[in-house]
Amino acid sequence: MIVGIPREIKNNENRVAITPAGVTSFVDSGHTVLVEKEAGIGSGFTNEDYSNAGAIIVELAKDVWAQSDMVMKVKEPLRSEYDYFREGLILFTYLHLAADPKLTQALIDKGVTAIAYETVELNNTLPLLTPMSEVAGRMAAQIGSQFLQKSHGGQGILLSGVPGVSRGKVTIIGGGIVGTNAAKIAVGLGADVTVLDLNANRLRQLDDIFGNQIKTLISNPYNIADAVKDADLLIGAVLIPGAKAPKLVTEDMVKTMKPGSVIVDVAIDQGGIVETIDHVTTHDNPTFEKHNIIHYSVANMPGAVPRTSTIALTNVTVPYALQISNKGVCKAISENEVLKRGVNIAKGYVTHKAIAKDLGYNY
Ligand code: NAD
């Protein structure tokens, strides 16, 4: 199979859908990999890195799309890329079609087989989303500690404290992938960490992982109010699958925080859990202040660390892509339920129940 890797064209997107190591895996299995010139540069991979791994460097995006049986990307195709769609093309990328009816229709009209990273589902987990949650969770603690510095407008505290000075307090609401990874880094920084979750079993698992390095609290408005008031750094990490994030932290709770404290709401991509956050921020202008609290609400946090994110993402996408290229898409899907759940569009139909329902297609 010929596998094509175009350069990402979304603003500030520096990730790429394959690393040189990934190229080697395809080439060793007898496939051809076309990489658009400079596609990896934002993630620190040069054209030479790719050609040394066995890829063919192609000058123009249109040729990558036209010559490939399967195109792998990171972000959903933008309008200018719809012209490259054609019957029989396999597209493997993040798609988020429920939020994008125009892209959905374009894929249907052109007969593309579209497989979305975010709907590949294994035992009720989303293995191709997990690495980005790991990155964002770890970043949340790191970024929060940075904005607590006076030079960044924060209280001017060091999360670890020093001998004779108390440690900073980190409250994490939501103890899933983001929350656990935020806790790992916050504990590593020496902070006094509290994690709240609605799920008592999840808190038991966290207790097993961290022992007495963290406190766990069941999530309810009373405990949230207490933990928010105490927090120097508050991290939002809640997810209710398929739903908007609930506003668990009210404006009144935010007002009880010490001036110069920091909120990093990682759940902002689902609307956020903090009432005082009314907009998404960007890496160029990541924070705003309300009630003397620094609010950080960047929806694509992994974009700030494209090299780590690219490697983490491709570690998990390439094995699935290899199944598709080795067996052909029909056999790969029929033999693997996990991958099958990733298929959003095939033969001109929406094949994913939730997307069909959201966008009003027959299923
Ligand atoms: P997850 O499913 O692993 O964890 C979510 C946790 O929230 C679960 O443990 C669940 O029990 C808990 N929860 C649900 N309702 C709760 C409540 N009322 N109180 C406390 N906890 C509650 O999800 P995840 O992978 O950790 O993702 C968390 C959020 O981070 C999602 O919205 C995800 O899209 C987002 N995210 C954002 C970025 C970014 O760049 N901003 C990057 C990756 C992920």
Side-chain angles (χ1 to χ4, degrees), residues 129-130 132-133 136 173-179 196-199 202 219 224 236-241 246 248 265-270 298-302:
L129 272 184
T130 300
M132 295 304 103
S133 286
I173 306 182
I177 312 272
V178 167
L196 295 94
D197 202 292
L198 209 50
N199 179 343
R202 187 64 206 140
S219 176
I224 290 175
V238 163
L239 176 66
I240 301 175
L248 300 173
D265 196 354
V266 186
I268 187 64
D269 61 338
Q270 301 292 330
V298 173
N300 65 331
M301 294 172 67

PDB file of all heavy atoms in Angstrom, residues 129-130 132-133 136 173-179 196-199 202 219 224 236-241 246 248 265-270 298-302, ligand 1:
ATOM      1  N   LEU A 129      -6.720   8.640  21.878  1.00  0.00           N
ATOM      2  CA  LEU A 129      -6.825   9.949  22.547  1.00  0.00           C
ATOM      3  C   LEU A 129      -5.976   9.995  23.815  1.00  0.00           C
ATOM      4  O   LEU A 129      -5.512  11.058  24.236  1.00  0.00           O
ATOM      5  CB  LEU A 129      -8.279  10.228  22.945  1.00  0.00           C
ATOM      6  CG  LEU A 129      -9.178  10.906  21.934  1.00  0.00           C
ATOM      7  CD1 LEU A 129     -10.543  11.170  22.563  1.00  0.00           C
ATOM      8  CD2 LEU A 129      -8.598  12.222  21.446  1.00  0.00           C
ATOM      9  N   THR A 130      -5.776   8.817  24.412  1.00  0.00           N
ATOM     10  CA  THR A 130      -5.091   8.745  25.709  1.00  0.00           C
ATOM     11  C   THR A 130      -3.751   9.494  25.746  1.00  0.00           C
ATOM     12  O   THR A 130      -3.501  10.255  26.683  1.00  0.00           O
ATOM     13  CB  THR A 130      -4.893   7.261  26.105  1.00  0.00           C
ATOM     14  OG1 THR A 130      -6.182   6.671  26.180  1.00  0.00           O
ATOM     15  CG2 THR A 130      -4.176   7.113  27.428  1.00  0.00           C
ATOM     16  N   MET A 132      -2.720  12.064  24.260  1.00  0.00           N
ATOM     17  CA  MET A 132      -2.845  13.528  24.300  1.00  0.00           C
ATOM     18  C   MET A 132      -3.342  13.977  25.681  1.00  0.00           C
ATOM     19  O   MET A 132      -2.974  15.042  26.168  1.00  0.00           O
ATOM     20  CB  MET A 132      -3.777  14.032  23.193  1.00  0.00           C
ATOM     21  CG  MET A 132      -3.249  13.774  21.790  1.00  0.00           C
ATOM     22  SD  MET A 132      -1.587  14.470  21.491  1.00  0.00           S
ATOM     23  CE  MET A 132      -0.545  13.039  21.586  1.00  0.00           C
ATOM     24  N   SER A 133      -4.163  13.127  26.329  1.00  0.00           N
ATOM     25  CA  SER A 133      -4.577  13.439  27.700  1.00  0.00           C
ATOM     26  C   SER A 133      -3.381  13.331  28.646  1.00  0.00           C
ATOM     27  O   SER A 133      -3.256  14.099  29.598  1.00  0.00           O
ATOM     28  CB  SER A 133      -5.682  12.486  28.161  1.00  0.00           C
ATOM     29  OG  SER A 133      -6.901  12.809  27.537  1.00  0.00           O
ATOM     30  N   ALA A 136      -1.428  16.529  28.086  1.00  0.00           N
ATOM     31  CA  ALA A 136      -2.088  17.719  28.640  1.00  0.00           C
ATOM     32  C   ALA A 136      -2.091  17.696  30.167  1.00  0.00           C
ATOM     33  O   ALA A 136      -1.888  18.732  30.809  1.00  0.00           O
ATOM     34  CB  ALA A 136      -3.524  17.811  28.109  1.00  0.00           C
ATOM     35  N   ILE A 173      -9.561  18.346  39.880  1.00  0.00           N
ATOM     36  CA  ILE A 173     -10.936  17.822  39.834  1.00  0.00           C
ATOM     37  C   ILE A 173     -11.064  16.924  38.611  1.00  0.00           C
ATOM     38  O   ILE A 173     -10.932  17.378  37.470  1.00  0.00           O
ATOM     39  CB  ILE A 173     -11.967  18.964  39.799  1.00  0.00           C
ATOM     40  CG1 ILE A 173     -11.724  19.923  40.974  1.00  0.00           C
ATOM     41  CG2 ILE A 173     -13.392  18.385  39.848  1.00  0.00           C
ATOM     42  CD1 ILE A 173     -12.723  21.056  41.065  1.00  0.00           C
ATOM     43  N   GLY A 174     -11.289  15.638  38.860  1.00  0.00           N
ATOM     44  CA  GLY A 174     -11.297  14.631  37.798  1.00  0.00           C
ATOM     45  C   GLY A 174     -10.013  13.814  37.894  1.00  0.00           C
ATOM     46  O   GLY A 174      -8.921  14.363  37.717  1.00  0.00           O
ATOM     47  N   GLY A 175     -10.163  12.530  38.181  1.00  0.00           N
ATOM     48  CA  GLY A 175      -8.977  11.691  38.391  1.00  0.00           C
ATOM     49  C   GLY A 175      -8.784  10.654  37.302  1.00  0.00           C
ATOM     50  O   GLY A 175      -8.322   9.541  37.561  1.00  0.00           O
ATOM     51  N   GLY A 176      -9.125  11.003  36.062  1.00  0.00           N
ATOM     52  CA  GLY A 176      -8.919  10.091  34.926  1.00  0.00           C
ATOM     53  C   GLY A 176      -7.499  10.232  34.401  1.00  0.00           C
ATOM     54  O   GLY A 176      -6.547  10.421  35.168  1.00  0.00           O
ATOM     55  N   ILE A 177      -7.351  10.139  33.070  1.00  0.00           N
ATOM     56  CA  ILE A 177      -6.004  10.175  32.486  1.00  0.00           C
ATOM     57  C   ILE A 177      -5.342  11.536  32.737  1.00  0.00           C
ATOM     58  O   ILE A 177      -4.197  11.605  33.203  1.00  0.00           O
ATOM     59  CB  ILE A 177      -6.060   9.950  30.951  1.00  0.00           C
ATOM     60  CG1 ILE A 177      -6.935   8.760  30.599  1.00  0.00           C
ATOM     61  CG2 ILE A 177      -4.652   9.836  30.369  1.00  0.00           C
ATOM     62  CD1 ILE A 177      -6.310   7.457  30.556  1.00  0.00           C
ATOM     63  N   VAL A 178      -6.065  12.621  32.430  1.00  0.00           N
ATOM     64  CA  VAL A 178      -5.489  13.958  32.636  1.00  0.00           C
ATOM     65  C   VAL A 178      -5.168  14.158  34.114  1.00  0.00           C
ATOM     66  O   VAL A 178      -4.055  14.567  34.479  1.00  0.00           O
ATOM     67  CB  VAL A 178      -6.471  15.058  32.147  1.00  0.00           C
ATOM     68  CG1 VAL A 178      -6.033  16.439  32.630  1.00  0.00           C
ATOM     69  CG2 VAL A 178      -6.572  15.043  30.616  1.00  0.00           C
ATOM     70  N   GLY A 179      -6.141  13.846  34.972  1.00  0.00           N
ATOM     71  CA  GLY A 179      -5.967  14.084  36.405  1.00  0.00           C
ATOM     72  C   GLY A 179      -4.815  13.283  36.987  1.00  0.00           C
ATOM     73  O   GLY A 179      -4.009  13.797  37.769  1.00  0.00           O
ATOM     74  N   LEU A 196     -10.064  15.045  43.325  1.00  0.00           N
ATOM     75  CA  LEU A 196     -11.485  14.743  43.529  1.00  0.00           C
ATOM     76  C   LEU A 196     -12.034  14.015  42.309  1.00  0.00           C
ATOM     77  O   LEU A 196     -11.699  14.362  41.170  1.00  0.00           O
ATOM     78  CB  LEU A 196     -12.300  16.029  43.706  1.00  0.00           C
ATOM     79  CG  LEU A 196     -11.995  16.868  44.937  1.00  0.00           C
ATOM     80  CD1 LEU A 196     -10.980  17.958  44.595  1.00  0.00           C
ATOM     81  CD2 LEU A 196     -13.272  17.491  45.489  1.00  0.00           C
ATOM     82  N   ASP A 197     -12.837  13.001  42.553  1.00  0.00           N
ATOM     83  CA  ASP A 197     -13.518  12.325  41.455  1.00  0.00           C
ATOM     84  C   ASP A 197     -14.873  11.841  41.963  1.00  0.00           C
ATOM     85  O   ASP A 197     -15.058  11.614  43.165  1.00  0.00           O
ATOM     86  CB  ASP A 197     -12.690  11.149  40.914  1.00  0.00           C
ATOM     87  CG  ASP A 197     -13.076  10.770  39.482  1.00  0.00           C
ATOM     88  OD1 ASP A 197     -14.202  10.267  39.278  1.00  0.00           O
ATOM     89  OD2 ASP A 197     -12.264  10.985  38.569  1.00  0.00           O
ATOM     90  N   LEU A 198     -15.792  11.697  41.030  1.00  0.00           N
ATOM     91  CA  LEU A 198     -17.134  11.222  41.340  1.00  0.00           C
ATOM     92  C   LEU A 198     -17.133   9.719  41.582  1.00  0.00           C
ATOM     93  O   LEU A 198     -18.000   9.187  42.266  1.00  0.00           O
ATOM     94  CB  LEU A 198     -18.002  11.534  40.104  1.00  0.00           C
ATOM     95  CG  LEU A 198     -19.477  11.806  40.239  1.00  0.00           C
ATOM     96  CD1 LEU A 198     -19.751  12.845  41.298  1.00  0.00           C
ATOM     97  CD2 LEU A 198     -20.017  12.275  38.882  1.00  0.00           C
ATOM     98  N   ASN A 199     -16.150   9.058  40.983  1.00  0.00           N
ATOM     99  CA  ASN A 199     -16.098   7.603  40.959  1.00  0.00           C
ATOM    100  C   ASN A 199     -15.198   7.095  42.101  1.00  0.00           C
ATOM    101  O   ASN A 199     -13.974   7.252  42.067  1.00  0.00           O
ATOM    102  CB  ASN A 199     -15.546   7.219  39.573  1.00  0.00           C
ATOM    103  CG  ASN A 199     -15.411   5.734  39.390  1.00  0.00           C
ATOM    104  OD1 ASN A 199     -15.423   4.968  40.364  1.00  0.00           O
ATOM    105  ND2 ASN A 199     -15.279   5.319  38.142  1.00  0.00           N
ATOM    106  N   ARG A 202     -12.355   4.834  41.169  1.00  0.00           N
ATOM    107  CA  ARG A 202     -11.216   5.573  40.587  1.00  0.00           C
ATOM    108  C   ARG A 202     -10.338   6.127  41.721  1.00  0.00           C
ATOM    109  O   ARG A 202      -9.125   6.079  41.660  1.00  0.00           O
ATOM    110  CB  ARG A 202     -11.771   6.714  39.710  1.00  0.00           C
ATOM    111  CG  ARG A 202     -10.753   7.449  38.920  1.00  0.00           C
ATOM    112  CD  ARG A 202     -10.058   6.556  37.883  1.00  0.00           C
ATOM    113  NE  ARG A 202      -8.738   7.080  37.597  1.00  0.00           N
ATOM    114  CZ  ARG A 202      -7.658   6.330  37.423  1.00  0.00           C
ATOM    115  NH1 ARG A 202      -7.710   5.033  37.453  1.00  0.00           N
ATOM    116  NH2 ARG A 202      -6.487   6.901  37.180  1.00  0.00           N
ATOM    117  N   SER A 219     -16.116  13.708  44.790  1.00  0.00           N
ATOM    118  CA  SER A 219     -16.511  14.997  44.208  1.00  0.00           C
ATOM    119  C   SER A 219     -17.973  15.301  44.516  1.00  0.00           C
ATOM    120  O   SER A 219     -18.861  14.567  44.094  1.00  0.00           O
ATOM    121  CB  SER A 219     -16.286  14.938  42.694  1.00  0.00           C
ATOM    122  OG  SER A 219     -16.741  16.111  42.094  1.00  0.00           O
ATOM    123  N   ILE A 224     -15.826  20.215  46.718  1.00  0.00           N
ATOM    124  CA  ILE A 224     -15.207  21.046  45.670  1.00  0.00           C
ATOM    125  C   ILE A 224     -14.980  22.455  46.221  1.00  0.00           C
ATOM    126  O   ILE A 224     -13.894  23.027  46.081  1.00  0.00           O
ATOM    127  CB  ILE A 224     -16.084  21.076  44.389  1.00  0.00           C
ATOM    128  CG1 ILE A 224     -16.065  19.705  43.707  1.00  0.00           C
ATOM    129  CG2 ILE A 224     -15.586  22.147  43.414  1.00  0.00           C
ATOM    130  CD1 ILE A 224     -16.990  19.582  42.502  1.00  0.00           C
ATOM    131  N   GLY A 236      -8.666  21.529  36.148  1.00  0.00           N
ATOM    132  CA  GLY A 236      -9.936  20.929  35.727  1.00  0.00           C
ATOM    133  C   GLY A 236      -9.647  19.753  34.811  1.00  0.00           C
ATOM    134  O   GLY A 236      -9.002  19.922  33.774  1.00  0.00           O
ATOM    135  N   ALA A 237     -10.113  18.538  35.163  1.00  0.00           N
ATOM    136  CA  ALA A 237      -9.771  17.341  34.383  1.00  0.00           C
ATOM    137  C   ALA A 237     -10.942  16.367  34.302  1.00  0.00           C
ATOM    138  O   ALA A 237     -10.757  15.162  34.282  1.00  0.00           O
ATOM    139  CB  ALA A 237      -8.554  16.658  35.014  1.00  0.00           C
ATOM    140  N   VAL A 238     -12.155  16.926  34.244  1.00  0.00           N
ATOM    141  CA  VAL A 238     -13.360  16.087  34.235  1.00  0.00           C
ATOM    142  C   VAL A 238     -13.762  15.750  32.803  1.00  0.00           C
ATOM    143  O   VAL A 238     -13.584  16.558  31.897  1.00  0.00           O
ATOM    144  CB  VAL A 238     -14.510  16.854  34.941  1.00  0.00           C
ATOM    145  CG1 VAL A 238     -15.869  16.264  34.611  1.00  0.00           C
ATOM    146  CG2 VAL A 238     -14.274  16.866  36.442  1.00  0.00           C
ATOM    147  N   LEU A 239     -14.284  14.548  32.612  1.00  0.00           N
ATOM    148  CA  LEU A 239     -14.899  14.221  31.323  1.00  0.00           C
ATOM    149  C   LEU A 239     -16.147  13.392  31.560  1.00  0.00           C
ATOM    150  O   LEU A 239     -16.114  12.389  32.276  1.00  0.00           O
ATOM    151  CB  LEU A 239     -13.933  13.439  30.429  1.00  0.00           C
ATOM    152  CG  LEU A 239     -14.519  12.976  29.087  1.00  0.00           C
ATOM    153  CD1 LEU A 239     -14.851  14.167  28.191  1.00  0.00           C
ATOM    154  CD2 LEU A 239     -13.574  12.036  28.348  1.00  0.00           C
ATOM    155  N   ILE A 240     -17.235  13.836  30.959  1.00  0.00           N
ATOM    156  CA  ILE A 240     -18.432  12.992  30.867  1.00  0.00           C
ATOM    157  C   ILE A 240     -18.563  12.680  29.382  1.00  0.00           C
ATOM    158  O   ILE A 240     -18.859  13.581  28.589  1.00  0.00           O
ATOM    159  CB  ILE A 240     -19.678  13.733  31.401  1.00  0.00           C
ATOM    160  CG1 ILE A 240     -19.435  14.121  32.865  1.00  0.00           C
ATOM    161  CG2 ILE A 240     -20.914  12.855  31.261  1.00  0.00           C
ATOM    162  CD1 ILE A 240     -20.528  14.961  33.464  1.00  0.00           C
ATOM    163  N   PRO A 241     -18.242  11.429  28.990  1.00  0.00           N
ATOM    164  CA  PRO A 241     -18.131  11.135  27.556  1.00  0.00           C
ATOM    165  C   PRO A 241     -19.365  11.586  26.765  1.00  0.00           C
ATOM    166  O   PRO A 241     -20.499  11.354  27.182  1.00  0.00           O
ATOM    167  CB  PRO A 241     -17.994   9.610  27.519  1.00  0.00           C
ATOM    168  CG  PRO A 241     -17.428   9.259  28.856  1.00  0.00           C
ATOM    169  CD  PRO A 241     -18.013  10.254  29.827  1.00  0.00           C
ATOM    170  N   PRO A 246     -19.553  19.661  32.995  1.00  0.00           N
ATOM    171  CA  PRO A 246     -20.418  20.373  33.948  1.00  0.00           C
ATOM    172  C   PRO A 246     -19.649  21.512  34.623  1.00  0.00           C
ATOM    173  O   PRO A 246     -18.451  21.397  34.871  1.00  0.00           O
ATOM    174  CB  PRO A 246     -20.754  19.284  34.970  1.00  0.00           C
ATOM    175  CG  PRO A 246     -19.612  18.319  34.898  1.00  0.00           C
ATOM    176  CD  PRO A 246     -19.048  18.379  33.507  1.00  0.00           C
ATOM    177  N   LEU A 248     -18.597  22.746  37.480  1.00  0.00           N
ATOM    178  CA  LEU A 248     -18.501  22.300  38.880  1.00  0.00           C
ATOM    179  C   LEU A 248     -17.934  23.381  39.786  1.00  0.00           C
ATOM    180  O   LEU A 248     -18.170  23.387  40.991  1.00  0.00           O
ATOM    181  CB  LEU A 248     -17.597  21.054  38.955  1.00  0.00           C
ATOM    182  CG  LEU A 248     -18.061  19.838  38.161  1.00  0.00           C
ATOM    183  CD1 LEU A 248     -17.009  18.744  38.184  1.00  0.00           C
ATOM    184  CD2 LEU A 248     -19.378  19.311  38.709  1.00  0.00           C
ATOM    185  N   ASP A 265      -7.767  24.894  33.240  1.00  0.00           N
ATOM    186  CA  ASP A 265      -8.941  24.052  32.957  1.00  0.00           C
ATOM    187  C   ASP A 265      -8.696  23.238  31.689  1.00  0.00           C
ATOM    188  O   ASP A 265      -8.967  23.670  30.569  1.00  0.00           O
ATOM    189  CB  ASP A 265     -10.206  24.904  32.819  1.00  0.00           C
ATOM    190  CG  ASP A 265     -11.471  24.047  32.910  1.00  0.00           C
ATOM    191  OD1 ASP A 265     -11.331  22.808  32.961  1.00  0.00           O
ATOM    192  OD2 ASP A 265     -12.573  24.615  32.937  1.00  0.00           O
ATOM    193  N   VAL A 266      -8.177  22.034  31.885  1.00  0.00           N
ATOM    194  CA  VAL A 266      -7.847  21.177  30.736  1.00  0.00           C
ATOM    195  C   VAL A 266      -9.135  20.748  30.017  1.00  0.00           C
ATOM    196  O   VAL A 266      -9.145  20.545  28.806  1.00  0.00           O
ATOM    197  CB  VAL A 266      -7.037  19.942  31.191  1.00  0.00           C
ATOM    198  CG1 VAL A 266      -6.578  19.131  29.991  1.00  0.00           C
ATOM    199  CG2 VAL A 266      -5.835  20.348  32.023  1.00  0.00           C
ATOM    200  N   ALA A 267     -10.229  20.652  30.766  1.00  0.00           N
ATOM    201  CA  ALA A 267     -11.500  20.196  30.179  1.00  0.00           C
ATOM    202  C   ALA A 267     -12.160  21.260  29.302  1.00  0.00           C
ATOM    203  O   ALA A 267     -13.297  21.081  28.865  1.00  0.00           O
ATOM    204  CB  ALA A 267     -12.453  19.763  31.291  1.00  0.00           C
ATOM    205  N   ILE A 268     -11.442  22.318  29.016  1.00  0.00           N
ATOM    206  CA  ILE A 268     -11.996  23.424  28.229  1.00  0.00           C
ATOM    207  C   ILE A 268     -12.452  22.971  26.841  1.00  0.00           C
ATOM    208  O   ILE A 268     -13.381  23.539  26.264  1.00  0.00           O
ATOM    209  CB  ILE A 268     -10.977  24.591  28.112  1.00  0.00           C
ATOM    210  CG1 ILE A 268     -11.586  25.812  27.454  1.00  0.00           C
ATOM    211  CG2 ILE A 268      -9.695  24.171  27.403  1.00  0.00           C
ATOM    212  CD1 ILE A 268     -12.704  26.449  28.221  1.00  0.00           C
ATOM    213  N   ASP A 269     -11.814  21.908  26.310  1.00  0.00           N
ATOM    214  CA  ASP A 269     -12.234  21.457  24.973  1.00  0.00           C
ATOM    215  C   ASP A 269     -13.651  20.886  24.991  1.00  0.00           C
ATOM    216  O   ASP A 269     -14.265  20.724  23.938  1.00  0.00           O
ATOM    217  CB  ASP A 269     -11.231  20.436  24.388  1.00  0.00           C
ATOM    218  CG  ASP A 269     -11.107  19.187  25.227  1.00  0.00           C
ATOM    219  OD1 ASP A 269     -11.434  19.232  26.432  1.00  0.00           O
ATOM    220  OD2 ASP A 269     -10.702  18.151  24.673  1.00  0.00           O
ATOM    221  N   GLN A 270     -14.171  20.601  26.175  1.00  0.00           N
ATOM    222  CA  GLN A 270     -15.574  20.173  26.300  1.00  0.00           C
ATOM    223  C   GLN A 270     -16.389  21.275  26.980  1.00  0.00           C
ATOM    224  O   GLN A 270     -17.422  21.007  27.584  1.00  0.00           O
ATOM    225  CB  GLN A 270     -15.680  18.881  27.122  1.00  0.00           C
ATOM    226  CG  GLN A 270     -14.909  17.702  26.567  1.00  0.00           C
ATOM    227  CD  GLN A 270     -15.473  17.190  25.262  1.00  0.00           C
ATOM    228  OE1 GLN A 270     -16.664  17.285  25.005  1.00  0.00           O
ATOM    229  NE2 GLN A 270     -14.606  16.667  24.407  1.00  0.00           N
ATOM    230  N   VAL A 298      -6.367  26.840  27.333  1.00  0.00           N
ATOM    231  CA  VAL A 298      -5.940  26.481  25.978  1.00  0.00           C
ATOM    232  C   VAL A 298      -6.523  25.104  25.632  1.00  0.00           C
ATOM    233  O   VAL A 298      -6.379  24.151  26.401  1.00  0.00           O
ATOM    234  CB  VAL A 298      -4.396  26.457  25.894  1.00  0.00           C
ATOM    235  CG1 VAL A 298      -3.939  25.927  24.538  1.00  0.00           C
ATOM    236  CG2 VAL A 298      -3.829  27.852  26.138  1.00  0.00           C
ATOM    237  N   ALA A 299      -7.185  25.028  24.473  1.00  0.00           N
ATOM    238  CA  ALA A 299      -7.894  23.786  24.134  1.00  0.00           C
ATOM    239  C   ALA A 299      -6.997  22.755  23.444  1.00  0.00           C
ATOM    240  O   ALA A 299      -7.374  21.589  23.338  1.00  0.00           O
ATOM    241  CB  ALA A 299      -9.093  24.098  23.248  1.00  0.00           C
ATOM    242  N   ASN A 300      -5.853  23.196  22.946  1.00  0.00           N
ATOM    243  CA  ASN A 300      -4.948  22.222  22.300  1.00  0.00           C
ATOM    244  C   ASN A 300      -3.585  22.265  22.969  1.00  0.00           C
ATOM    245  O   ASN A 300      -2.562  22.562  22.342  1.00  0.00           O
ATOM    246  CB  ASN A 300      -4.831  22.495  20.796  1.00  0.00           C
ATOM    247  CG  ASN A 300      -4.178  23.831  20.501  1.00  0.00           C
ATOM    248  OD1 ASN A 300      -4.286  24.766  21.305  1.00  0.00           O
ATOM    249  ND2 ASN A 300      -3.493  23.946  19.377  1.00  0.00           N
ATOM    250  N   MET A 301      -3.574  21.952  24.261  1.00  0.00           N
ATOM    251  CA  MET A 301      -2.334  22.031  25.030  1.00  0.00           C
ATOM    252  C   MET A 301      -1.191  21.213  24.412  1.00  0.00           C
ATOM    253  O   MET A 301      -0.056  21.693  24.348  1.00  0.00           O
ATOM    254  CB  MET A 301      -2.586  21.620  26.483  1.00  0.00           C
ATOM    255  CG  MET A 301      -3.486  22.603  27.214  1.00  0.00           C
ATOM    256  SD  MET A 301      -3.999  22.048  28.839  1.00  0.00           S
ATOM    257  CE  MET A 301      -2.465  22.063  29.736  1.00  0.00           C
ATOM    258  N   PRO A 302      -1.440  19.978  23.917  1.00  0.00           N
ATOM    259  CA  PRO A 302      -0.325  19.193  23.372  1.00  0.00           C
ATOM    260  C   PRO A 302       0.390  19.875  22.207  1.00  0.00           C
ATOM    261  O   PRO A 302       1.531  19.539  21.891  1.00  0.00           O
ATOM    262  CB  PRO A 302      -0.993  17.898  22.906  1.00  0.00           C
ATOM    263  CG  PRO A 302      -2.229  17.792  23.739  1.00  0.00           C
ATOM    264  CD  PRO A 302      -2.700  19.215  23.907  1.00  0.00           C
TER     265      PRO A 302
HETATM  266  P1  NAD B   1     -11.087  10.520  31.560  1.00  0.00           P
HETATM  267  O1  NAD B   1     -12.365   9.937  31.107  1.00  0.00           O
HETATM  268  O2  NAD B   1      -9.870   9.666  31.613  1.00  0.00           O
HETATM  269  O3  NAD B   1     -11.276  11.140  33.031  1.00  0.00           O
HETATM  270  C1  NAD B   1     -12.352  11.937  33.376  1.00  0.00           C
HETATM  271  C2  NAD B   1     -12.628  11.758  34.852  1.00  0.00           C
HETATM  272  O4  NAD B   1     -13.622  12.711  35.230  1.00  0.00           O
HETATM  273  C3  NAD B   1     -13.176  10.375  35.211  1.00  0.00           C
HETATM  274  O5  NAD B   1     -12.349   9.752  36.179  1.00  0.00           O
HETATM  275  C4  NAD B   1     -14.564  10.676  35.749  1.00  0.00           C
HETATM  276  O6  NAD B   1     -14.965   9.807  36.801  1.00  0.00           O
HETATM  277  C5  NAD B   1     -14.361  12.091  36.264  1.00  0.00           C
HETATM  278  N1  NAD B   1     -15.594  12.836  36.516  1.00  0.00           N
HETATM  279  C6  NAD B   1     -16.759  12.834  35.830  1.00  0.00           C
HETATM  280  N2  NAD B   1     -17.640  13.660  36.428  1.00  0.00           N
HETATM  281  C7  NAD B   1     -17.010  14.190  37.512  1.00  0.00           C
HETATM  282  C8  NAD B   1     -17.388  15.106  38.526  1.00  0.00           C
HETATM  283  N3  NAD B   1     -18.613  15.642  38.570  1.00  0.00           N
HETATM  284  N4  NAD B   1     -16.475  15.425  39.470  1.00  0.00           N
HETATM  285  C9  NAD B   1     -15.243  14.891  39.451  1.00  0.00           C
HETATM  286  N5  NAD B   1     -14.834  14.016  38.523  1.00  0.00           N
HETATM  287  C10 NAD B   1     -15.711  13.670  37.565  1.00  0.00           C
HETATM  288  O7  NAD B   1     -10.841  11.799  30.640  1.00  0.00           O
HETATM  289  P2  NAD B   1      -9.433  12.495  30.363  1.00  0.00           P
HETATM  290  O8  NAD B   1      -8.773  11.814  29.230  1.00  0.00           O
HETATM  291  O9  NAD B   1      -8.708  12.635  31.644  1.00  0.00           O
HETATM  292  O10 NAD B   1      -9.893  13.927  29.827  1.00  0.00           O
HETATM  293  C11 NAD B   1     -10.334  14.961  30.687  1.00  0.00           C
HETATM  294  C12 NAD B   1     -10.665  16.185  29.850  1.00  0.00           C
HETATM  295  O11 NAD B   1      -9.469  16.741  29.319  1.00  0.00           O
HETATM  296  C13 NAD B   1     -11.550  15.890  28.636  1.00  0.00           C
HETATM  297  O12 NAD B   1     -12.476  16.943  28.473  1.00  0.00           O
HETATM  298  C14 NAD B   1     -10.562  15.879  27.495  1.00  0.00           C
HETATM  299  O13 NAD B   1     -11.184  16.150  26.250  1.00  0.00           O
HETATM  300  C15 NAD B   1      -9.690  17.009  27.944  1.00  0.00           C
HETATM  301  N6  NAD B   1      -8.413  17.178  27.223  1.00  0.00           N
HETATM  302  C16 NAD B   1      -8.049  18.454  26.931  1.00  0.00           C
HETATM  303  C17 NAD B   1      -6.847  18.724  26.310  1.00  0.00           C
HETATM  304  C18 NAD B   1      -6.448  20.138  26.078  1.00  0.00           C
HETATM  305  O14 NAD B   1      -5.505  20.374  25.329  1.00  0.00           O
HETATM  306  N7  NAD B   1      -7.087  21.120  26.704  1.00  0.00           N
HETATM  307  C19 NAD B   1      -6.011  17.665  25.915  1.00  0.00           C
HETATM  308  C20 NAD B   1      -6.399  16.350  26.218  1.00  0.00           C
HETATM  309  C21 NAD B   1      -7.616  16.112  26.888  1.00  0.00           C
END
